[in-house]
């Protein structure tokens, strides 16, 4: 698009309450649950239910911390804004650019997952071809206007929610009516090697992959600048996170693991030599002879991945816009078209996400695990910075005599608990050969960002 057709201007507040609620919901349901759970199941067995409960609890605490800040100051690029305003310029710079990289990586992982889901129907289509096709489609949706993005995400999420609720109800019917066969019994949760078939360590070693599942919850913070009534809508969306985790993670996994012996399901999932080759949610219905349900669920998990990528494209462009507002990114990124869409910010994010197609071309079988580990490395930095920025935010509010209207739980104990959990996750990742490299990359990433920040400071000084 010619630059003369763009102008510096505000984002449009075009997201309604129903959009925000479903965006928050959509961020919690994606590849981490539908595909990442395959690798978790192989190591943790039924104890994965406990792992998702622990990860979800920590995620909810962090969401409340973020929510307190957003309700007081609903702005674009929220994480970066709070780090910048209450911690310092470098913290804002690091937080913003780290989150942008995080969602570029999330976009790559979701596009990779889309390729794997399509292979359920057409195994001959390479993952990189599917990734490229949907890359074009989703970016086109985001280049229209924010209302179209909101509508697309609304319907993507409706499909996901309806399908998971339907799967839980169908699973319960199969379990308790006897229609699922002799192997469908709740005792599957403990009768095949116990609840911890590989010991507690089997679960602990998978906590990093479980963390990947909760990486989209903070997206509701990015929507604040384009929400009609952020002070009403944001608290409602955040408080509902706990119910979503209970229903969509704990409920769905409990039913899934009860329908068929988990070890038999794992053997089927890994038969092709790829731990993340297909979704356990789809395979379970194939195993119990319900092919129609399996095909429907494969369509659902495909839309789920597209939904998260759709949210990622939106999120990245708004984070770049917020960074430009702070002076931490080129001012050209503040340019929007006549519909209020930050076109340049979307284009730059898309350019980097295209690397996904190359990765899938070069290493199709290990692409997803590599990308998930890099996402978690960026995510732990993000979560740590939210908790630390919230501590400084609350102290600043107390100094001003301001009482936040939407308080986080158990301040400051919960903040330190979340920070300890983040360190624990990093420690676990060091013991996993496949993803250890992403932990070693963190110091180099932080040094790179520090170097970029110093270059920016010198330019400002001149």
């Amino acid at each position: 698009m010619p630059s003369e057709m763009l102008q510096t201007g505000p984002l449009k507040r075009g997201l309604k309450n129903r959009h925000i609620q479903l965006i928050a919901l959509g961020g919690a349901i994606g590849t981490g649950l539908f595909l990442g759970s395959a690798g978790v199941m192989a190591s943790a067995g039924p104890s994965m239910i406990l792992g998702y409960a622990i990860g979800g609890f920590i995620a909810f605490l962090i969401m409340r911390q973020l929510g307190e800040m957003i309700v007081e100051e609903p702005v674009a690029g929220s994480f970066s804004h709070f780090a910048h305003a209450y911690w310092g310029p470098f913290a804002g710079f690091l937080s913003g650019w780290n989150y942008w990289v995080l969602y570029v990586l999330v976009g790559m992982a979701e596009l990779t997952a889309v390729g794997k889901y399509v292979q359920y129907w057409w195994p001959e289509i390479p993952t990189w071809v599917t990734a490229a096709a949907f890359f074009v489609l989703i970016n086109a949706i985001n280049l229209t206007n924010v209302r179209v993005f909101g509508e697309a995400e609304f319907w993507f999420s409706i499909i996901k929610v309806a399908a998971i609720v339907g799967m839980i109800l169908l699973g319960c019917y199969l379990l308790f009516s006897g229609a699922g066969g002799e192997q469908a019994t709740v005792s599957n949760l403990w009768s095949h090697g116990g609840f911890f078939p590989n010991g507690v360590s089997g679960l602990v070693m998978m906590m990093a992959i479980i963390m990947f599942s909760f990486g989209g919850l903070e997206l509701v913070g990015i929507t604040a600048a384009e929400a009609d009534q952020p002070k009403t809508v944001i608290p409602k969306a955040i408080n509902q996170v706990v119910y979503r985790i209970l229903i969509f993670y704990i409920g769905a996994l409990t039913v899934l693991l009860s329908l068929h012996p988990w070890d038999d399901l794992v053997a089927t999932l890994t038969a092709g030599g790829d731990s993340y080759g297909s979704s356990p949610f789809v395979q379970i219905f194939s195993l119990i002879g319900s092919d129609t349900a399996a095909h429907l669920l494969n369509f659902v998990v495909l839309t789920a991945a597209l939904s998260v990528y759709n949210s990622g494209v939106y999120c990245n462009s708004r984070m770049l816009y917020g960074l430009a507002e702070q002076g931490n990114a080129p001012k050209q990124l503040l340019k929007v078209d006549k519909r209020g869409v930050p076109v340049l910010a979307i284009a730059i994010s898309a350019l980097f996400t295209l690397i996904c197609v190359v990765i899938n071309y070069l290493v199709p079988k290990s692409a997803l695990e590599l990308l998930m580990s890099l996402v978690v490395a960026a995510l732990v930095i993000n979560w740590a910075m939210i908790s630390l920025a919230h501590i400084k935010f609350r102290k600043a509010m107390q100094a001003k005599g301001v009482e936040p209207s939407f308080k986080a739980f158990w301040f400051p104990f919960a903040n330190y608990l979340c920070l300890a959990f983040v360190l624990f996750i990093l420690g676990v990742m060091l013991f996993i050969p496949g993803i250890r490299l992403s932990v070693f990359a963190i110091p180099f990433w932080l040094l790179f960002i520090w170097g970029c920040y110093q270059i920016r400071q010198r330019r400002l000084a001149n």
Side-chain angles (χ1 to χ4, degrees):
M1 177 177 288
S3 58
E4 59 268 18
M5 295 178 68
L6 302 175
Q7 73 241 335
T8 300
L11 299 171
K12 300 281 192 279
R13 288 193 180 270
L15 295 179
K16 304 297 183 187
N17 176 43
R18 65 187 177 91
H19 295 142
I20 302 292
Q21 298 303 325
L22 268 296
I23 287 167
L25 189 54
I29 308 168
T31 295
L33 173 62
F34 288 131
L35 198 56
S37 55
V40 177
M41 189 184 300
S43 176
S47 67
M48 66 190 293
I49 297 168
L50 175 62
Y52 278 96
I54 293 169
F57 174 69
I58 296 295
F60 178 61
L61 292 179
I62 290 173
M63 284 293 292
R64 285 288 305 216
Q65 293 160 18
L66 176 61
E68 178 182 315
M69 297 187 287
I70 292 168
V71 170
E72 293 304 310
E73 298 177 29
V75 294
S78 59
F79 320 118
S80 178
H81 166 80
F82 299 123
H84 179 90
Y86 297 100
W87 193 347
F90 175 66
F93 188 87
L94 168 61
S95 180
W97 283 108
N98 181 74
Y99 198 72
W100 179 76
V101 166
L102 167 62
Y103 251 97
V104 165
L105 291 167
V106 166
M108 291 183 188
E110 299 298 333
L111 285 173
T112 300
V114 167
K116 291 180 180 291
Y117 298 143
V118 168
Q119 284 181 335
Y120 179 76
W121 293 309
W122 300 289
E124 69 279 4
I125 298 179
T127 53
W128 71 267
V129 172
T130 311
F134 283 105
F135 166 83
V136 173
L137 174 66
I138 298 299
N139 279 283
I141 288 173
N142 277 266
L143 285 168
T144 49
N145 62 46
V146 71
R147 182 69 62 84
V148 173
F149 156 76
E151 285 299 324
E153 193 53 36
F154 178 80
W155 290 107
F156 274 147
S157 295
I158 285 284
I159 292 170
K160 283 193 282 192
V161 173
I164 292 187
V165 171
M167 190 219 80
I168 292 172
L169 292 175
L170 175 59
C172 288
Y173 167 75
L174 293 172
L175 270 175
F176 301 116
S177 70
E182 290 183 6
Q183 81 279 0
T185 168
V186 177
S187 66
N188 283 327
L189 296 176
W190 59 81
S191 60
H192 293 267
F195 188 68
F196 292 95
N198 294 313
V200 175
S201 63
L203 172 60
V204 168
M205 297 304 279
M206 283 293 106
M207 286 305 297
I209 302 301
I210 288 172
M211 272 272 288
F212 172 81
S213 303
F214 299 107
L217 291 172
E218 327 87 347
L219 179 63
V220 71
I222 304 294
T223 66
E226 291 168 280
D228 261 354
Q229 298 173 308
K231 290 185 181 292
T232 306
V233 172
I234 301 296
K236 187 176 178 183
I238 287 174
N239 281 334
Q240 288 176 358
V241 165
V242 69
Y243 304 115
R244 290 163 187 156
I245 290 166
L246 285 172
I247 295 169
F248 300 122
Y249 283 86
I250 312 307
L253 288 170
T254 300
V255 170
L256 176 79
L257 290 163
S258 299
L259 285 172
H260 199 82
W262 71 272
D263 47 353
D264 190 27
L265 178 55
V266 166
T268 305
L269 290 168
T270 56
D274 182 357
S275 299
Y276 302 97
S278 60
S279 169
F281 286 83
V282 175
Q283 286 295 332
I284 193 74
F285 286 99
S286 286
L287 284 171
I288 62 178
S290 184
D291 285 339
T292 303
H295 286 295
L296 278 173
L297 266 174
N298 197 60
F299 171 74
V300 170
V301 297
L302 172 63
T303 60
L306 291 175
S307 163
V308 177
Y309 178 51
N310 185 41
S311 296
V313 172
Y314 167 85
C315 164
N316 266 344
S317 60
R318 273 54 179 184
M319 181 55 80
L320 284 182
Y321 184 95
L323 283 165
E325 278 190 321
Q326 298 161 18
N328 286 331
K331 290 294 181 187
Q332 287 90 333
L333 294 172
L334 286 172
K335 291 186 180 294
V336 297
D337 65 11
K338 61 184 179 182
R339 295 159 304 194
V341 176
V343 176
L344 293 177
I346 289 175
I348 287 174
S349 300
L351 188 64
F352 281 88
T353 308
L354 258 182
I355 297 169
C356 159
V357 177
V358 179
I359 293 173
N360 273 277
Y361 179 76
L362 295 174
V363 284
K365 284 198 172 181
S366 55
L368 186 64
E369 186 173 31
L370 169 66
L371 290 167
M372 283 198 296
S373 66
L374 290 171
V375 167
V376 173
L379 180 62
V380 295
I381 297 173
N382 183 54
W383 279 14
M385 294 198 75
I386 289 174
S387 279
L388 287 167
H390 176 253
I391 292 172
K392 295 180 179 294
F393 170 85
R394 179 66 76 86
K395 288 179 178 176
M397 292 298 105
Q398 288 171 345
K400 294 176 185 175
V402 174
E403 192 75 13
S405 57
F406 182 62
K407 281 190 171 183
F409 291 130
W410 311 320
F411 174 85
F413 169 76
N415 297 69
Y416 295 120
L417 176 64
C418 294
L419 291 168
F421 182 78
V422 161
L423 288 174
F424 160 72
I425 292 296
L426 286 175
V428 167
M429 290 171 73
L430 283 173
F431 289 95
I432 305 172
I435 63 178
R436 184 183 297 149
L437 188 64
S438 59
V439 182
F440 294 143
I442 290 176
F444 294 101
W445 167 238
L446 295 177
L447 279 172
F448 174 74
I449 289 292
W450 173 254
C452 292
Y453 177 74
Q454 292 302 318
I455 292 169
R456 170 191 172 274
Q457 292 298 91
R458 288 196 192 97
R459 284 181 178 172
L460 288 176
N462 294 333

